[in-house]
């Protein structure tokens, strides 16, 4: 089975840094994705990790430890538009298995 | 920038009726997927499709569901006899390859409401 856990909600101030943790226990692993989803919209791709370590893309970074079944998404220099749900998803063969998402609220 | 499109954006139907949700994947993509998201819940995988056949399906994808690529551009999800619990946002996605960092691009979704 698939078990992917992430916090339900986080709040941070504009300009700050927020780290969203994700732990997973899955029957297979072909990579871990982070998606952003604004309310009522489709998920949009943020990052991908398959090897241990940190991947940096502008204000967003993602880290993976396969031995610990752990990943995090780091959002730096938070902007109001970053208020959204952030979805951790594990790739196994063809499918993505998603966590329930972490709703990040950015306050001025 | 190429994108996945879906029609309709919102479908309202009576319980027991058949619905067809339509998707146009990105043109050079080979792998197609359907996911659903019940309001307030997580995104759930339904089915993946490659080379005109189902490559993987979840336990949600039972006999009332079917997928088809009727022509070179459309990809459809049919629900034969809708139930109240089928009410959800249905997302189509596509990717050019299945493995590695090849992201799945999601369409804007069809909100299905079963009354």
């Amino acid at each position: 089975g698939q078990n992917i856990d992430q916090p339900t909600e986080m709040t941070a101030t504009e300009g700050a840094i927020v780290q969203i943790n994700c732990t997973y226990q899955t029957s297979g692993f072909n990579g871990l994705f982070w998606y952003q989803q604004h309310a009522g919209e489709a998920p949009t791709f943020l990052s991908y990790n398959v090897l241990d370590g940190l991947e940096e893309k502008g204000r967003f970074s993602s880290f993976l430890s396969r031995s610990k079944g752990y990943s995090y998404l780091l959002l730096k220099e938070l902007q109001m538009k970053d208020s959204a749900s952030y979805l951790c998803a594990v790739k196994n063969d063809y499918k993505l298995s998603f966590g329930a998402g972490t709703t990040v609220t950015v306050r001025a | 920038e190429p994108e996945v499109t879906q029609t309709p954006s919102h479908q309202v139907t009576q319980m027991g009726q058949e619905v067809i949700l339509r998707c146009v994947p990105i043109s050079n993509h080979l792998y197609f997927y359907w996911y659903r998201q019940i309001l307030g819940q997580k995104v759930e995988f339904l089915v993946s499709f490659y080379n005109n056949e189902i490559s993987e399906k979840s336990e949600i994808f039972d006999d009332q569901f079917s997928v088809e690529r009727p022509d070179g551009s459309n990809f459809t999800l049919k629900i034969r006899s809708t139930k109240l619990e089928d009410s959800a946002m249905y997302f189509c996605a596509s990717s050019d390859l299945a493995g590695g960092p090849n992201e799945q691009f999601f369409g804007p979704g069809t909100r299905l409401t079963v009354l």
Side-chain angles (χ1 to χ4, degrees), chain B residues 3-58:
Chain B
E3 59 183 15
V4 177
T5 59
Q6 291 185 242
T7 54
S9 57
H10 193 184
Q11 173 96 46
V12 181
T13 190
Q14 295 291 326
M15 190 170 55
Q17 295 296 304
E18 174 183 287
V19 294
I20 297 176
L21 311 183
R22 302 180 192 280
C23 168
V24 178
I26 293 173
S27 63
N28 64 336
H29 284 184
L30 303 175
Y31 294 83
F32 315 118
Y33 314 85
W34 283 101
Y35 292 82
R36 78 172 185 190
Q37 187 174 31
I38 296 170
L39 188 64
Q41 297 187 23
K42 65 181 180 181
V43 177
E44 299 175 290
F45 170 79
L46 293 177
V47 66
S48 60
F49 191 86
Y50 169 71
N51 199 25
N52 283 319
E53 61 183 30
I54 290 173
S55 45
E56 190 173 0
K57 63 182 180 179
S58 73

Side-chain angles (χ1 to χ4, degrees), chain B residues 36-97:
Chain B
R36 78 172 185 190
Q37 187 174 31
I38 296 170
L39 188 64
Q41 297 187 23
K42 65 181 180 181
V43 177
E44 299 175 290
F45 170 79
L46 293 177
V47 66
S48 60
F49 191 86
Y50 169 71
N51 199 25
N52 283 319
E53 61 183 30
I54 290 173
S55 45
E56 190 173 0
K57 63 182 180 179
S58 73
E59 58 275 10
I60 301 169
F61 194 88
D62 60 22
D63 291 344
Q64 71 160 341
F65 291 91
S66 62
V67 288
E68 191 179 30
R69 188 152 164 84
D71 53 44
S73 60
N74 289 282
F75 179 52
T76 62
L77 174 70
K78 182 192 291 186
I79 310 175
R80 265 180 267 282
S81 178
T82 50
K83 304 172 196 167
L84 294 176
E85 54 265 37
D86 293 328
S87 293
M89 182 76 95
Y90 288 80
F91 293 108
C92 173
S94 70
S95 64
D96 53 358
L97 295 171

Side-chain angles (χ1 to χ4, degrees), chain A residues 20-73:
Chain A
I20 305 169
N21 296 323
C22 171
T23 57
Y24 64 90
Q25 290 176 302
T26 56
S27 54
F29 184 87
N30 297 119
L32 189 142
F33 290 79
W34 284 94
Y35 279 82
Q36 181 190 60
Q37 186 179 30
H38 285 99
E41 298 183 9
T44 54
F45 170 78
L46 289 177
S47 70
Y48 169 80
N49 296 73
V50 68
L51 300 175
D52 287 358
L54 188 67
E55 294 284 340
E56 297 189 80
K57 285 180 70 174
R59 294 189 299 115
F60 295 169
S61 304
S62 57
F63 172 83
L64 176 68
S65 169
R66 291 190 62 171
S67 61
K68 295 181 180 176
Y70 168 71
S71 175
Y72 68 72
L73 179 70

